[in-house]
Amino acid sequence: MKNRRKPASQITPLIEDGGLFKREVRDVAVELVPVFSMNNRGDLVVKGIVSPGTEIEVVFAGRRKRQAAGLVEQMKRLRVQGVRTAMNGHEAISCPRNLRLPVQVRGTWRLRFDRDASGWEVKSYQLLAAQWVFADAERGAVLCGWPPAESENRLQDRAGAARSELAAQRARTGQPS
């Protein structure tokens, strides 16, 4: 399959955010668990818990990944503190999923379907983070990320999209322009 991705040097914040934030941007309270991974695009993926105990993935994509460094450091400190507490005999902290950092995330939801070991499709949720606020021990509340970039003229964008769709319909039916 042909790779249609543009080189990173050609990606503007408007193009990046147009691909990431296709749905309504919302504020979501999440408790992040210090379990990190990277996806195939190189984005930071962190496990999180939203009420009532649903496990999700929070994705810090593109230019926002660099902004998440402070959050990652805070969660690493939380993990070290949990290990220290577990070594002192506190069993509730021995599992990393019991360590949680409360974060207020402004982002959009994305639904994913993955196959499990038996071949069934399993539904999971990802929260694509645009901005987030967390409590840092030294600085207090820390705001990171950027609001999604929006086109300056959304009406003109919609009109252009409508013209493109009309031209595609005419091309399919064989009508002259």
Side-chain angles (χ1 to χ4, degrees):
M1 182 186 291
K2 184 179 178 187
N3 183 2
R4 292 192 225 158
R5 292 183 191 164
K6 291 184 179 182
S9 61
Q10 293 180 1
I11 303 296
T12 64
L14 185 61
I15 292 171
E16 180 180 292
D17 290 354
L20 290 173
F21 304 105
K22 296 177 183 175
R23 291 189 170 81
E24 180 184 0
V25 178
R26 302 170 170 252
D27 291 324
V28 181
V30 180
E31 292 180 328
L32 294 181
V33 177
V35 177
F36 314 101
S37 63
M38 298 287 245
N39 64 12
N40 63 349
R41 291 180 175 246
D43 301 328
L44 175 65
V45 180
V46 181
K47 294 288 181 189
I49 310 283
V50 292
S51 67
T54 304
E55 186 174 300
I56 63 165
E57 294 178 333
V58 181
V59 179
F60 299 93
R63 69 187 194 278
R64 291 174 176 88
K65 181 173 73 171
R66 290 184 292 279
Q67 285 273 312
L71 182 65
V72 170
E73 284 301 315
Q74 183 68 16
M75 290 195 312
K76 285 180 180 178
R77 280 189 221 122
L78 180 66
R79 188 184 319 183
V80 168
Q81 179 184 2
V83 167
R84 239 185 258 134
T85 306
M87 291 174 88
N88 292 337
H90 194 281
E91 296 211 13
I93 306 295
S94 62
C95 176
R97 299 208 185 278
N98 293 336
L99 301 171
R100 297 182 182 176
L101 177 67
V103 179
Q104 186 70 29
V105 178
R106 184 164 180 74
T108 188
W109 289 103
R110 178 166 65 185
L111 185 62
R112 291 189 43 171
F113 290 95
D114 295 318
R115 291 193 190 278
D116 65 3
S118 61
W120 288 94
E121 295 281 333
V122 177
K123 179 171 56 172
S124 64
Y125 295 96
Q126 288 185 330
L127 180 61
L128 300 171
Q131 287 185 296
W132 55 97
V133 177
F134 66 97
D136 188 3
E138 296 111 26
R139 297 181 285 170
V142 179
L143 172 66
C144 299
W146 296 278
E150 292 186 7
S151 175
E152 294 176 8
N153 192 345
R154 287 178 109 24
L155 186 59
Q156 184 179 4
D157 289 348
R158 277 190 271 149
R163 282 192 304 274
S164 297
E165 180 62 31
L166 183 60
Q169 284 176 346
R170 287 181 178 163
R172 282 191 295 263
T173 61
Q175 292 178 353
S177 308

